[in-house]
Amino acid sequence: MPTELQNIASPQAVAAVWNTNVNEQPTYLYQVLLDDEVVNGTAVNVVFGKDQGLSVLDMVTEDASSTRMKNQGFREATYKLNQFKKHMLVDERTRRAVNDALARATSQYEQQAVVRTQLQDALKLFNNASVTREYLFTEGLVNGKIDFSKYPNASSNEIVDFFYDDEQFTTVDKDWGTKDSTPTDDVNVFTQKLSNKLGVGFNTAIMNQMTYNKLIHSGQIVNTLGVGVGSNNIALSNSQAESIFKDATGLDIMVYDKSVGGKKFIPDGKVVLVPSEKIGSMAHTETQEQMGLAGNAGYDVATTTDGITVTTSVIDDPVGVKYQVSEVFLPLIKASNNVGVMTVLTGNDNGAKDVTPASTTTDNSASNSTDNKGGK
């Protein structure tokens, strides 16, 4: 049996805590909207459907032949999974403090509590790994693409394009939160347009807390509640406001206010509409540590159920334990037609950058995308 101090240097112990304490982990959007997908190698091929819209049949005379309608087309793209890693050290001072605390412990449970505090430090690396996935996923969700060119150390500088159509983006005429704003009308006009063109239905409107506050103080909501002309000084019941929004649009509201480094995953003034179904997958594959260090003397490697690898190694001078967490992944929004993005605060530039709609439908270079338009 390993000692409690040895458990601190065990990646299996760290991974076990992560796998078995799901309720203590933050919940991120990618975990709700994406499936988990294990792939072989670092290249992944994705097929995106291309909508061609509805049209009426041709009226013909007797004995006239019909005209042929184009087959439903599709677009294929091949992208590369990217590698991310970070490490931390349990140094001599920390090991001495832990050893002394273990010596003072009067029971096995007290010893386990001491070890758990140290494992929490290592678990921060796992949380960082999840945040990295969320950061890239929400960039793609809001913008329709992920631009790896801004990551100088990334293993790829490509733009991962999910091929959002121009019509999947809209900007409201009146900022939400103003006295003459009409958020439920804005949403209904947008969803109806997308439903007619793409045949999709939406279930949830995702926004951050600031945008939500603007929503419930919008003139249309306030006036429907019968409390007079919209004003930021009126105290409103959130449940009443949400009920009005739900009744008018059929959409649930998800307030998602997580951020990293001061940057909100869902920016101020953005509302993302999604269906109830999953819209893609979090694709991940083996890390270099799994392939090159597992089973080697001096290294211990373990992998969590969601594909994050933790490797520990002992450093001899000064004595310490190095924890390294790595992952090779790429978020894939495969059902990209099933997303709508609204800008409800004009002139807002906080958070993720806006994408010029005209650029969202531009195919990538021939090296990673093929457009198959179907028969004529």
Side-chain angles (χ1 to χ4, degrees):
M1 293 290 290
T3 66
E4 298 299 340
L5 192 59
Q6 287 173 328
N7 272 336
I8 295 176
S10 167
Q12 286 77 18
V14 181
V17 173
W18 180 261
N19 289 336
T20 59
N21 292 274
V22 178
N23 60 314
E24 296 181 15
Q25 302 172 23
T27 300
Y28 294 105
L29 273 182
Y30 80 83
Q31 295 166 324
V32 176
L33 298 177
L34 301 181
D35 288 317
D36 188 74
E37 180 183 9
V38 180
V39 299
N40 294 320
T42 58
V44 59
N45 186 66
V46 188
V47 178
F48 300 92
K50 288 185 62 180
D51 182 81
Q52 57 191 26
L54 299 176
S55 62
V56 298
L57 298 179
D58 298 328
M59 184 171 66
V60 297
T61 60
E62 297 291 338
D63 298 322
S65 61
S66 63
T67 58
R68 179 180 176 182
M69 187 177 74
K70 292 181 180 180
N71 296 333
Q72 179 71 33
F74 62 93
R75 177 185 281 117
E76 292 182 275
T78 300
Y79 296 123
K80 183 178 181 181
L81 277 62
N82 287 274
Q83 177 177 240
F84 299 86
K85 61 176 63 178
K86 207 161 197 174
H87 78 272
M88 65 182 299
L89 293 175
V90 180
D91 56 21
E92 288 184 340
R93 182 176 300 179
T94 302
R95 287 173 60 84
R96 177 62 65 188
V98 170
N99 197 54
D100 291 346
L102 290 172
R104 291 191 299 269
T106 59
S107 70
Q108 179 184 1
Y109 300 106
E110 288 185 9
Q111 290 181 336
Q112 291 173 347
V114 171
V115 172
R116 182 62 183 267
T117 62
Q118 297 307 302
L119 292 181
Q120 288 298 328
D121 277 343
L123 290 177
K124 291 177 184 177
L125 290 173
F126 284 98
N127 282 322
N128 287 342
S130 293
V131 164
T132 305
R133 295 183 177 197
E134 182 75 344
Y135 184 87
L136 294 177
F137 167 63
T138 52
E139 179 182 339
L141 181 68
V142 173
N143 296 316
K145 59 179 64 178
I146 304 172
D147 184 2
F148 281 101
S149 65
K150 61 188 178 184
Y151 300 97
N153 295 322
S155 54
S156 171
N157 288 326
E158 69 180 337
I159 293 178
V160 176
D161 198 336
F162 300 120
F163 303 108
Y164 283 17
D165 189 85
D166 294 0
E167 295 186 355
Q168 289 176 253
F169 296 90
T170 192
T171 300
V172 301
D173 293 328
K174 301 290 184 179
D175 280 14
W176 289 9
T178 59
K179 295 180 181 181
D180 53 354
S181 57
T182 56
T184 60
D185 288 349
D186 294 335
V187 171
N188 285 333
V189 169
F190 185 48
T191 56
Q192 188 61 54
K193 181 180 71 173
L194 293 184
S195 177
N196 290 341
K197 178 175 175 55
L198 304 176
V200 300
F202 298 102
N203 174 265
T204 304
I206 306 170
M207 64 193 77
N208 69 25
Q209 186 66 54
M210 191 274 265
T211 306
Y212 173 81
N213 292 341
K214 293 291 186 181
L215 167 66
I216 65 174
H217 285 94
S218 294
Q220 190 174 39
I221 300 294
V222 173
N223 292 333
T224 304
L225 285 171
V227 293
V229 179
S231 168
N232 290 335
N233 296 321
I234 294 177
L236 300 176
S237 163
N238 288 5
S239 60
Q240 286 179 303
E242 290 180 21
S243 178
I244 290 172
F245 184 85
K246 170 79 171 179
D247 290 344
T249 66
L251 300 179
D252 294 318
I253 296 174
M254 177 191 293
V255 178
Y256 187 74
D257 217 34
K258 287 186 172 66
S259 62
V260 61
K263 177 177 177 177
K264 297 178 183 178
F265 292 129
I266 301 297
D268 292 343
K270 296 292 185 184
V271 177
V272 181
L273 308 181
V274 295
S276 57
E277 300 83 9
K278 303 283 189 178
I279 60 173
S281 66
M282 183 63 69
H284 56 87
T285 191
E286 281 188 313
T287 64
Q288 292 290 343
E289 289 76 11
Q290 285 177 282
M291 294 186 294
L293 297 180
N296 286 7
Y299 298 92
D300 209 351
V301 181
T303 304
T304 65
T305 53
D306 53 353
I308 302 172
T309 297
V310 57
T311 304
T312 61
S313 56
V314 176
I315 301 172
D316 60 358
D317 189 20
V319 178
V321 176
K322 177 182 177 181
Y323 288 100
Q324 179 156 295
V325 163
S326 62
E327 55 184 343
V328 182
F329 74 94
L330 182 65
L332 299 172
I333 303 177
K334 299 176 181 179
S336 55
N337 278 352
N338 294 6
V339 179
V341 182
M342 303 180 68
T343 299
V344 300
L345 298 177
T346 58
N348 172 64
D349 60 359
N350 185 37
K353 65 180 182 180
D354 292 338
V355 169
T356 303
S359 68
T360 62
T361 55
T362 301
D363 289 353
N364 284 340
S365 62
S367 61
N368 65 3
S369 175
T370 303
D371 196 1
N372 299 284
K373 298 180 179 179
K376 295 182 179 180

